[in-house]
Amino acid sequence: EERRKEERGYLGQLAQDIGGKVDVKVATSLLEGRGTAETIERYAESISASLIVMTTHGRTGFSRTWLGSVTDELVRHSHFPVLLVPPEEGDVDILSEVPISHVLVPLDGSERGERILGPAVDVGQATGARFTLLNVVPADVSLGTRMIPLPSRHLEERHEKAVEYLAAVARRLGDTFTPVETKVVDHPLPSRAILAVAQEGSADIIALATHGYRALTRAIVGSVADKVLRGSRLPVLMLRPGD
């Protein structure tokens, strides 16, 4: 009961601070459950939420390098879009402006990857942001345990196909959302290329789909989305597409 009272007081004070300074409706709920991520998911369904927003660690604190277990579980299993915000040093200012004027959307050419476009466009339309669609063409090819450079002719063909692909997606988005830019880069490490383009292009948010690999699979093969999330200093909007 003491813990419940403490948490209700924390939520109530935060709601009062927000509601007293910003014209937005705020509701609070204190949930109980064995599986925190599962409890959040069920509650989000019950209120017909459109988006879950979290920092990448809880109030008890985690290493900046690693996600907290609750966040990690939501990213891998939730069917809701999840916006993850990296923690900042110092005190939190709930009224500080967080401009979202440029959204970077990495696409891998798959239908699953394109499902991030819906939530990304929702965020972009709400903030009046411009879009950059990105495709990373691997400059190397796997040959067993070795990585060898892709022959220049094949690399050029893949690059051209990527340019055509992004142009087609941009035309689809252009019917309801503008402006949309496209960018294709050749790089052996997609996650590193995404982070570099985000920094160079002054992106405010990265939006991408995740395949929802389990921890063991992720440790063996790696996940581009996972590496981007762990390496990004920007908010990352993620969606695990359903089948």
Side-chain angles (χ1 to χ4, degrees), residues 51 53 82-86 98-106 116 119-121 123-124 127 129-132 194 197-199 201-208 228 232-238:
L51 179 68
V53 184
V82 181
L83 179 59
L84 297 165
V85 183
V98 183
I100 300 179
S101 59
H102 185 194
V103 180
L104 176 65
V105 186
I116 190 61
V121 166
V123 171
T127 61
R130 62 187 176 93
F131 265 45
T132 295
I194 292 169
V197 170
Q199 182 176 3
S202 300
D204 299 306
I205 186 172
I206 302 173
L208 74 170
V228 168
S232 177
R233 295 182 179 180
L234 300 173
V236 180
L237 175 65
M238 305 189 76

Side-chain angles (χ1 to χ4, degrees), residues 98-169:
V98 183
I100 300 179
S101 59
H102 185 194
V103 180
L104 176 65
V105 186
L107 299 172
D108 61 3
S110 69
E111 182 181 343
R112 288 178 65 89
E114 290 180 18
R115 294 188 191 179
I116 190 61
L117 289 172
V121 166
D122 287 342
V123 171
Q125 286 180 325
T127 61
R130 62 187 176 93
F131 265 45
T132 295
L133 306 180
L134 171 67
N135 184 270
V136 181
V137 178
D140 296 336
V141 63
S142 175
L143 186 64
T145 57
R146 296 174 54 202
M147 298 296 292
I148 61 174
L150 197 66
S152 58
R153 179 171 59 86
H154 294 295
L155 185 60
E156 290 175 2
E157 290 177 356
R158 291 189 179 185
H159 191 101
E160 291 175 359
K161 289 182 178 178
V163 170
E164 294 174 358
Y165 163 70
L166 290 184
V169 177

Side-chain angles (χ1 to χ4, degrees), residues 78-106:
S78 176
H79 67 271
F80 286 94
V82 181
L83 179 59
L84 297 165
V85 183
E88 296 182 358
E89 302 293 342
D91 297 333
V92 176
D93 181 4
I94 62 173
L95 296 180
S96 62
E97 284 291 329
V98 183
I100 300 179
S101 59
H102 185 194
V103 180
L104 176 65
V105 186

Side-chain angles (χ1 to χ4, degrees), residues 52-73:
I52 297 174
V53 184
M54 298 180 67
T55 53
T56 51
H57 74 257
R59 286 192 294 146
T60 52
F62 286 89
S63 167
R64 291 179 64 100
T65 308
W66 298 99
L67 298 182
S69 57
V70 175
T71 307
D72 192 37
E73 192 76 12

